[in-house]
Amino acid sequence: MIEVNSLRHGVISIDSLDIPEGLTFIRGKNGSGKTTFLQLVAGLILPEAGSIRIDGRFPREVDIGYVSEFPARNMLFPHVEDEIASTLRFAGVPAAEVRRCTEETAELFGISHLLRRNCKTLSGGEKVLTACAAAAASSPLVSVLDEPDSHLDAETAAELADAFRNAGIRYILWASHRQFAHGFEVVL
């Protein structure tokens, strides 16, 4: 369970919130604090007051995959395959396992055909899918996604939601302006 207690930070004021396992959509108007809330859950920033615990631990104590609203700004490697493999390589995973996980993750996210492509040549939607695959490749406890669907059509966004559901990640927090049919919802 992700437990939020007496959380205060900027425009965010949450007395108590329990987020269950699975896919949770974070919705709200522009300026409501969606990105700030995701950054707090990811441990990128610390709250002014209150706490967030993920299975009893602080966010900076757990493995979290984060995808910003503009994923191209965070891509480190020239090729899709290397971008997806990066979290595994940084974790010291053996090369054969990195290759297997990279290929399986690319397949799950529907981007196997992009593995040899240069990231600079990808469309906006392809960059989002690549960043999401990279964030999921190491099977983090939490995936935090800041409006990945803003670069995707409705069908591809639904397929992305399914890919995350099937990736074995316990908690998936997804900020969106869209209404999705399945998933827990938090409105800020």
Side-chain angles (χ1 to χ4, degrees), residues 65-147:
Y66 184 83
V67 178
S68 76
E69 185 178 0
F70 304 103
R73 294 179 185 169
N74 298 53
M75 289 186 164
L76 299 175
F77 298 95
H79 293 97
V80 170
E81 181 176 28
D82 294 323
E83 189 66 30
I84 295 170
S86 63
T87 56
L88 300 163
R89 289 179 178 149
F90 292 149
V93 174
E97 182 71 6
V98 168
R99 178 170 297 285
R100 185 189 64 73
C101 288
T102 299
E103 290 172 358
E104 287 178 3
T105 302
E107 180 70 27
L108 178 64
F109 283 82
I111 59 171
S112 294
H113 63 288
L114 300 177
L115 285 173
R116 305 285 185 267
R117 289 268 305 273
N118 187 303
C119 290
K120 290 181 181 179
T121 68
L122 301 176
S123 70
E126 290 170 334
K127 288 176 182 175
V128 168
L129 295 174
T130 298
C132 287
S138 65
S139 299
L141 180 65
V142 182
S143 283
V144 176
L145 315 169
D146 194 356
E147 298 190 38

